[in-house]
Amino acid sequence: MKKENKEIISIILLVFLPVILFFASFLMGRYPISPVDVIKTILSPIFPQLTVSSTVNTIVWQIRLPRILAAILVGASLSMAGAAFQGIFKNPLVSSDLLGVSNGAGFGAALAILFSGSSVIIQIFAFLFGIISVSITYLISRAYKSGGILILVLSGVAISAFFNSLISGVKFIADPDDKLPEIVYWLMGSLASVTMDEIIMILIPLLIGFIILFLLRWQMNILAMGDEEAQSLGLNPSRIRLIIIVGCTLLTSAAVSISGIIGWIGMIIPHMARMIVGPDNKILLLASLSLGASFLLLIDNISRVAISIEIPIGILTAIIGVPIFLYLLRRGYSDWL
């Protein structure tokens, strides 16, 4: 009976929860919209006879839909990348920004805001510098003959700190009345100004990243058993690990480029998914994707309606994520031992 109940709960969380939150998110905001109007607006392109006011049509299609899709894509990307990193590095404290991608993207965005301010340039710079930071991390780790997973992780910590210092330098020279507030707000994470054009720009790298991790999910199970075991089964651990890192970097860089730096999702969501479906990466990655999308969608809804001023998502994910993480460690840390 317990097993059956667990399976039912898993189905509800992983299948129905994202769908329910998707539709519920259209109803939340400063301007109230009824469920009937939401359904009519969504179906109106198919059934032209369904008419709604221009205000409702604008809010649903141009304001709330891009934001909802962005929350789903960003949450799914960060959590799936975090689950993959935790698997290949065999460490429960690993997250999607382990190798410096978030701070690298943050520096790129801060630089673009300082010299340009164009949303397209900010997105491109954030994406490119996220990839550059991980590339530097990997090249540094390869420079050490005895380099392994530990050297790679330590290189990531160093590069992350380096780009964080560069961000501080950009903030120091930025105009305190104009550029500095924009940089600080971007770094706190927000989906308030996301547009469909920005979402379309990240679809290709996201798709490539998702496909890479999906195709290699069974190799992650083998890597978790150790490099010697993987080699005995005919795999090249270094090559597989590099390909997985590429996939995770594409996901994280693309997500951060439109949302800013959002912490904790890549760490706590894989733990939640692991407790629900177990450690098998063939299922765990998909569970992390679903839970990550649902979690960030929920957090974004809270940020929109909690108080009169919108709360940056990065603040909420930290406030909510820390106690959840401590609880999950108490309940599920034994799985890693």
Side-chain angles (χ1 to χ4, degrees), residues 93-105:
L93 300 179
V94 165
S95 65
S96 53
D97 59 353
L98 171 70
L99 302 181
V101 60
S102 291
N103 282 340

Side-chain angles (χ1 to χ4, degrees), residues 33-46:
I33 302 177
S34 68
V36 175
D37 284 340
V38 171
I39 295 173
K40 289 171 65 176
T41 304
I42 294 176
L43 295 179
S44 60
I46 304 174

